[in-house]
Amino acid sequence: MPFRFAHPEPPRPSATPRPRVFPVFLPLAGCPGRCLYCNQPAQTGQAPEPLEAVLTRARAELSALSQPVELAFYGGTFTALPEPWPHRFLDLATELRASGRVTRVRCSTRPDAVTPLLLADLRGRGLDLVELGVQSFQDAALAASRRGYGGAVALAACRMVAEASLSLGIQLLPGMPGHGPDDFARDVEVVASLTPEAKPESVRLYPCLVLEGTPLADLWRAGEFSPWPLSVTIEALAAALRVLWAAGVPAARMGLAEQAGLAVLAGPRHPALGQMARARALFLHVRDLLAGLPKPAATLFVPARWQGEVLGQGNELAGEYAGLGLGVEAWAEPEFGLG
Ligand code: SF4
């Protein structure tokens, strides 16, 4: 009888499909300055524009939707928008929620742009989830990347969001200036330690890329910054996934979304980055399980749901499984098997 085990990723919430996320981009709005690596206009495909114009367009587009959506205010520092803009955007969301077009509302912001009072106010106005662009909890890396806050502020902000009864999202930026794989491993441990009181609903891992039009591009051209190689990034992401999964925290996204006009000069960009990291994480999990089995196994049995993912991009992990003495076979069971 093969030894059976489940995929280590926490089960995805309910089989009922969640409404799609409808992003309203507010590029750089509310930001205290331009961060070294950030080119939100290119990342979102949208130039900064007056907030009144953004609101008017969002109202028109959302009113025309036939399916409910989760509304997301992304691309800037929502909680630091000048008054009365946070309220005006949330009032629109409330109006659309009343008509059934919006089911949930989220925003992205910086850790140093939240206070308990502000979060309570926005919660009362209908905000459900706050995604914090933490990037790192390590003081030296935050200073080298000129983020303008330290690790203690980032950690306090995570707890503040949860204490305000808001769902928490966390974004990390492995490989930003001053940030090595060990720093990233420590960051992931911090995220895992937030459970259960401030367990994030999701974590996004955005390995640092050199984007055209950023101060980081100038540093890279001057030879003062080198991004992580792809292989280092995959290894670090895989290790991070294992820690997050063990803490019951899903990783929602790895790597920047493809966007026309986004010029990436250097860095670990790959269209299958997430798939490669997930496959690697599963491989490491299998390797550890195998080492603990009382007798050797010759085959990894893979349920249908995971067959496209197990061997990684272009079957890159086939040799590694063979190195463990394992063949990989599909089977019709819902769990994995080693036998
Ligand atoms: S990284 Fe965030 S805070 Fe910094 S400029 Fe970009 S959107 Fe603003």
Side-chain angles (χ1 to χ4, degrees):
M1 271 295 270
F3 167 78
R4 290 171 180 249
F5 63 98
H7 193 288
E9 185 176 24
R12 305 210 169 125
S14 89
T16 324
R18 288 178 69 160
R20 82 177 166 95
V21 171
F22 183 99
V24 171
F25 291 119
L26 310 160
L28 307 176
C31 299
R34 173 78 78 93
C35 294
L36 278 182
Y37 44 78
C38 178
N39 187 349
Q40 277 297 329
Q43 286 163 245
T44 59
Q46 200 174 308
E49 58 184 331
L51 295 177
E52 192 71 56
V54 177
L55 183 72
T56 303
R57 191 174 56 248
R59 180 188 298 282
E61 289 177 0
L62 286 156
S63 301
L65 292 177
S66 54
Q67 297 288 324
V69 292
E70 180 166 345
L71 183 52
F73 297 107
Y74 282 162
T77 304
F78 185 79
T79 57
L81 293 180
E83 290 295 344
W85 286 103
H87 286 178
R88 289 196 65 192
F89 281 113
L90 290 176
D91 288 350
L92 170 66
T94 301
E95 198 183 305
L96 293 161
R97 205 193 285 253
S99 64
R101 289 186 174 83
V102 165
T103 59
R104 208 163 175 245
V105 187
R106 59 169 67 198
C107 76
S108 60
T109 193
R110 292 168 52 98
D112 57 354
V114 294
T115 66
L117 211 59
L118 179 61
L119 291 172
D121 174 55
L122 300 180
R123 173 88 187 98
R125 292 274 184 154
L127 187 63
D128 297 293
L129 184 147
V130 174
E131 266 192 61
L132 292 174
V134 165
Q135 321 308 22
S136 173
F137 294 96
Q138 312 307 315
D139 287 337
L142 289 166
S145 284
R146 299 180 221 155
R147 283 290 286 170
Y149 57 84
V153 166
L155 188 56
C158 293
R159 298 206 171 108
M160 226 182 268
V161 168
E163 280 159 14
S165 300
L166 287 155
S167 297
L168 170 65
I170 292 178
Q171 300 173 5
L172 297 177
L173 194 76
M176 68 183 189
H179 195 245
D182 291 349
D183 295 307
F184 180 48
R186 281 191 284 274
D187 287 335
V188 172
E189 292 290 349
V190 173
V191 172
S193 76
L194 288 168
T195 58
E197 294 82 10
K199 179 178 167 179
E201 179 180 306
S202 74
V203 175
R204 294 177 201 262
L205 307 172
Y206 293 115
C208 187
L209 301 174
V210 181
L211 304 182
E212 185 59 280
T214 61
L216 194 60
D218 299 334
L219 290 176
W220 173 75
R221 286 193 174 100
E224 292 171 26
F225 173 73
S226 301
W228 289 3
L230 184 63
S231 57
V232 169
T233 305
I234 299 288
E235 208 58 49
L237 290 176
L241 284 177
R242 295 191 72 199
V243 174
L244 294 174
W245 289 349
V249 176
R253 159 151 216 112
M254 282 168 275
L256 284 184
E258 295 293 320
Q259 179 69 49
L262 183 66
V264 178
L265 300 176
R269 188 192 203 192
H270 193 288
L273 185 76
Q275 188 200 346
M276 291 159 82
R278 290 166 54 84
R280 181 85 193 150
L282 178 65
F283 169 77
L284 296 173
H285 184 68
V286 170
R287 185 197 62 187
D288 290 354
L289 286 178
L290 192 63
L293 288 184
K295 57 177 186 166
T299 307
L300 172 68
F301 297 100
V302 181
R305 180 179 167 201
W306 302 104
Q307 279 162 21
E309 187 167 312
V310 160
L311 291 177
Q313 180 74 0
N315 290 347
E316 62 181 348
L317 293 174
E320 302 236 28
Y321 278 107
L324 295 179
L326 285 178
V328 178
E329 280 182 25
W331 74 352
E333 301 295 318
E335 293 175 307
F336 288 81
L338 274 170

